[in-house]
Amino acid sequence: MTQLAICIPLDAAMQDVLPLVTALTENSAADIEIVIARPVDMVMSEALLSLATGDARVRVIDAEAGISPQALWREAVAATTGNWVTLVKPGDMIESDLAVMVAYLETHSPDVDALAWNAFQIDRHAERGKTSSVAIPAGYQIETLDKTAMLKAFFCWENSLSVPKMPFGLYHAAIRRSLVDALRELPEMRDWSTPLPQYEWAARVALFANELAFCARPMSAISTSPYMAETPRHEWNFPFHSGLGLAGAVAEVQFHVLRELGSPWSGNTEAFVRALTIECMMETSREAFMAKGNAYFAALREFEGGHLAPHFRPEFREVRSQDTRRGLHGKALLVDRFLGGAQDAGEFYDTVRLMLAPIGLICGGVVRDGEKVIA
């Protein structure tokens, strides 16, 4: 069986997938399969079709026209055969040697069924001189993390910014086949949808994973873009939804995943209000700030008698300072977003990869008894 399956769902609004697939297949020794899932009416380039024809590791599967992102992800995962599964989007980049790391985990930590790592966030619309530094972690160890702490971080929004700190899931993370099969056996609810299926997978992995492992070494780069709150709300007597903003979309996912299990939504804390506040304060125009703030305030007043609304007090900041530091600061090396002339996530990862510890070195270490360090 193939060690690692890499899913790449496509839609018309996404970037070209060819650079990502080309980079992955250049590693002829990588024990991977690449599953490209597309709506059947999407036209693919001749170059990509040729690449898929010439490399048995690449497969293209067709889904119905007009399929939702949520359902397309499920179709992609259902088509995989690898021992571990991950998912990235066109325009992203991921380490093909990740297959070596998951194979190492199978041998040295057989109870781990969910792996996460640091992923670079690269804004493809960034302008030179107007971006903050990008942090490259100096460490590369793999550690097991406390599942209870991750559940609190995700569902109770502990220590969150605008979204919960939850690196685990399917998107830019990997899950073992046993967990994939268990999650696919859960009832598929067709009465709601989300534009952010990564948080649906994150929620379920947090709930059902047996043991979590985290690698400090970055293993991928995400091509980011601003969240567009355009999806109409769902009528479930739950005021937070994807039409309000990013934090509202995450809360909506949490609500529905917990609803499947017969549990109430547990994010109604001041930590959640802080996340809403931070998201509002990230707006760069006063008009957008006011619109989002008023929408979130109305939702807070509607929820459980409005007891959280008085804690919501965002302030508009027209001028924002950028972190332009460079060099080693603490346990991270701060570099320019356009390091080496990198224009996108793929080019940035290719440049920074030269500075990162080789996967073979990380996975050639010895487990130290009495510690949670795996490598």
Side-chain angles (χ1 to χ4, degrees), residues 133-171:
S133 301
V134 178
I136 305 175
Y140 55 82
Q141 71 280 6
I142 306 174
E143 299 177 306
T144 54
L145 299 186
D146 179 62
K147 179 175 174 177
T148 300
M150 293 310 306
L151 286 169
K152 290 181 178 179
F154 185 73
F155 287 102
C156 298
W157 300 71
E158 286 190 358
N159 302 312
S160 73
L161 295 177
S162 57
V163 294
K165 291 184 177 180
M166 176 56 179
F168 295 93
L170 180 68
Y171 183 57

Side-chain angles (χ1 to χ4, degrees), residues 327-373:
L328 190 62
H329 291 267
K331 296 182 178 181
L333 177 67
L334 303 183
V335 301
D336 181 40
R337 149 70 179 85
F338 295 94
L339 182 70
Q343 296 299 311
D344 54 30
E347 292 179 0
F348 183 85
Y349 189 81
D350 286 345
T351 301
V352 171
R353 189 173 188 263
L354 301 173
M355 309 178 191
L356 300 176
I359 303 301
L361 174 64
I362 299 173
C363 297
V366 178
V367 179
R368 296 199 292 271
D369 292 336
E371 298 183 12
K372 289 188 176 181
V373 177

Side-chain angles (χ1 to χ4, degrees), residues 58-124:
V58 182
R59 291 188 290 122
V60 178
I61 66 166
D62 293 330
E64 64 184 32
I67 191 171
S68 69
Q70 191 177 16
L72 185 61
W73 284 36
R74 285 179 174 269
E75 293 281 340
V77 171
T80 63
T81 61
N83 291 330
W84 288 73
V85 181
T86 185
L87 182 146
V88 294
K89 297 179 182 178
D92 296 342
M93 186 55 62
I94 190 167
E95 176 68 62
S96 60
D97 280 342
L98 177 61
V100 176
M101 184 171 290
V102 295
Y104 177 83
L105 285 176
E106 287 198 336
T107 301
H108 292 83
S109 191
D111 290 333
V112 168
D113 52 4
L115 171 69
W117 52 81
N118 282 307
F120 297 117
Q121 307 278 333
I122 304 299
D123 182 0
R124 65 178 184 269

Side-chain angles (χ1 to χ4, degrees), residues 203-245:
R204 291 185 171 130
V205 167
L207 289 166
F208 291 98
N210 181 53
E211 189 169 333
L212 310 172
F214 181 84
C215 180
R217 180 203 192 270
M219 301 290 289
S220 61
I222 302 172
S223 179
T224 65
S225 57
Y227 173 73
M228 304 300 292
E230 298 179 352
T231 304
R233 65 174 294 176
H234 304 284
E235 297 298 333
W236 283 98
N237 195 30
F238 184 71
F240 305 106
H241 54 86
S242 55
L244 299 176

Side-chain angles (χ1 to χ4, degrees), residues 294-352:
N294 288 335
Y296 274 140
F297 184 70
L300 287 167
R301 291 191 63 183
E302 184 180 344
F303 182 70
E304 293 189 348
H307 70 284
L308 292 174
H311 300 284
F312 181 66
R313 298 175 181 176
E315 297 180 3
F316 179 67
R317 296 179 181 176
E318 189 170 1
V319 179
R320 290 171 172 77
S321 60
Q322 300 291 344
D323 184 355
T324 57
R325 294 176 299 167
R326 298 290 185 268
L328 190 62
H329 291 267
K331 296 182 178 181
L333 177 67
L334 303 183
V335 301
D336 181 40
R337 149 70 179 85
F338 295 94
L339 182 70
Q343 296 299 311
D344 54 30
E347 292 179 0
F348 183 85
Y349 189 81
D350 286 345
T351 301
V352 171

